[in-house]
Amino acid sequence: MAFTMIYDTRNRNKVSKLADNTKLLTLKLYQYCIDNSIQILIYETIRTIEQQKLNVAKGVSQTMKSYHLVGQALDWVLVDSNGNALWNAYKTPNADKVINYAKKLGFESGRDWGWDSPHLQYEYKGYGTDTFGKIIENGDELTMSQYTELKKMITELQTDNINLKKQLTNKLDNQSVREPLECHSEDWKWFKANGITDGSNPQDYLTREQVSTMLHRMDQFNTKKFSK
């Protein structure tokens, strides 16, 4: 049975509010959770200044320079099969997997600070440097819609390439062995008779390793011939 993320719609909606590069990495992290059947809830991403002021006043946050304000942070929690948040599970094997993969992608984990385990933030090029609505790479800019379209085209090309490889493999596997053309028949018989080739698949493709073997055998044949 295929794995289904319980809070998939809510999670993707939260992720969509992140800054561009943080969003791309978060989607990779989210796909990792799906691929490894790890149920999570992303319950907060971007945050307003008013929310942050309230959090600081309550002691929930310690700074007004929160990465949530600039779309470079998210808060997450593991959930059970019924969708219940597992607030005490940040030191479990599944939490380790999520956090370690996030750090591999470039995130910092609040668990390493010892007090904010749900928090993941992406530095990018510094606080507030990530963009909204465009991707910047090597000085060139793409809008998110252009990036999405380009990614779709690349995926389609990769799929086409895989299908073509399968078709070629099947064609070669199912190809019947054909005898050499009449104009090559005598030469082919000579090759077989003198051990240059084993005589199989005379009209099949020739690999470089087969060429090297045949040339080596030809050299051995000439050595024997002229040493007599």
Side-chain angles (χ1 to χ4, degrees):
M1 184 176 179
F3 175 80
T4 301
M5 192 71 76
I6 295 173
Y7 292 108
D8 188 63
T9 300
R10 181 176 174 182
N11 288 341
R12 292 185 186 278
N13 182 54
K14 288 291 185 181
V15 173
S16 69
K17 294 178 171 60
L18 289 168
D20 298 333
N21 295 279
T22 307
K23 181 193 305 181
L24 293 178
L25 291 181
T26 302
L27 287 172
K28 287 185 179 180
L29 175 62
Y30 190 57
Q31 187 60 50
Y32 172 83
C33 292
I34 293 173
D35 292 342
N36 288 274
S37 302
I38 301 175
Q39 288 285 358
I40 66 168
L41 168 63
I42 299 174
Y43 62 90
E44 189 167 26
T45 50
I46 194 131
R47 190 181 293 164
T48 65
I49 293 177
E50 289 72 22
Q51 286 176 307
Q52 188 63 22
K53 286 181 179 179
L54 185 61
N55 285 350
V56 171
K58 290 180 177 180
V60 178
S61 297
Q62 298 183 3
T63 178
M64 281 303 296
K65 192 181 178 182
S66 170
Y67 278 68
H68 285 285
L69 295 174
V70 292
Q72 291 175 234
L74 61 134
D75 290 338
W76 69 282
V77 63
L78 293 172
V79 299
D80 62 23
S81 58
N82 294 316
N84 299 310
L86 304 173
W87 296 108
N88 296 317
Y90 285 103
K91 292 185 178 180
T92 60
N94 274 347
D96 288 341
K97 288 179 182 179
V98 175
I99 291 172
N100 289 336
Y101 189 73
K103 291 166 69 173
K104 183 179 179 181
L105 292 173
F107 285 96
E108 293 180 53
S109 170
R111 191 180 73 172
D112 294 340
W113 307 337
W115 65 276
D116 196 4
S117 293
H119 185 80
L120 292 172
Q121 69 182 41
Y122 180 53
E123 185 70 17
Y124 189 47
K125 297 178 182 178
Y127 179 81
T129 56
D130 208 346
T131 57
F132 285 90
K134 60 184 178 181
I135 299 294
I136 300 178
E137 186 67 31
N138 299 325
D140 298 323
E141 294 187 1
L142 290 174
T143 64
M144 282 303 295
S145 60
Q146 288 173 325
Y147 172 81
T148 302
E149 183 62 26
L150 180 59
K151 186 177 179 181
K152 179 182 177 183
M153 291 172 62
I154 291 173
T155 301
E156 290 175 348
L157 286 172
Q158 290 174 331
T159 301
D160 289 343
N161 187 43
I162 291 172
N163 290 334
L164 284 172
K165 284 184 177 179
K166 288 181 179 178
Q167 291 174 17
L168 180 59
T169 300
N170 290 335
K171 184 177 180 180
L172 291 175
D173 289 342
N174 296 325
Q175 180 174 281
S176 59
V177 177
R178 294 174 294 171
E179 293 301 315
L181 297 176
E182 186 176 351
C183 59
H184 303 300
S185 180
E186 291 302 317
D187 297 317
W188 188 252
K189 289 178 182 178
W190 185 89
F191 259 49
K192 287 172 61 179
N194 290 282
I196 309 301
T197 178
D198 62 7
S200 61
N201 301 320
Q203 292 193 28
D204 203 353
Y205 296 103
L206 191 64
T207 65
R208 283 175 288 186
E209 61 185 11
Q210 289 173 322
V211 170
S212 63
T213 298
M214 292 177 72
L215 289 174
H216 184 230
R217 289 175 180 174
M218 189 68 192
D219 180 65
Q220 290 177 323
F221 170 80
N222 286 329
T223 302
K224 291 179 180 178
K225 178 181 179 181
F226 293 110
S227 62
K228 292 180 179 179

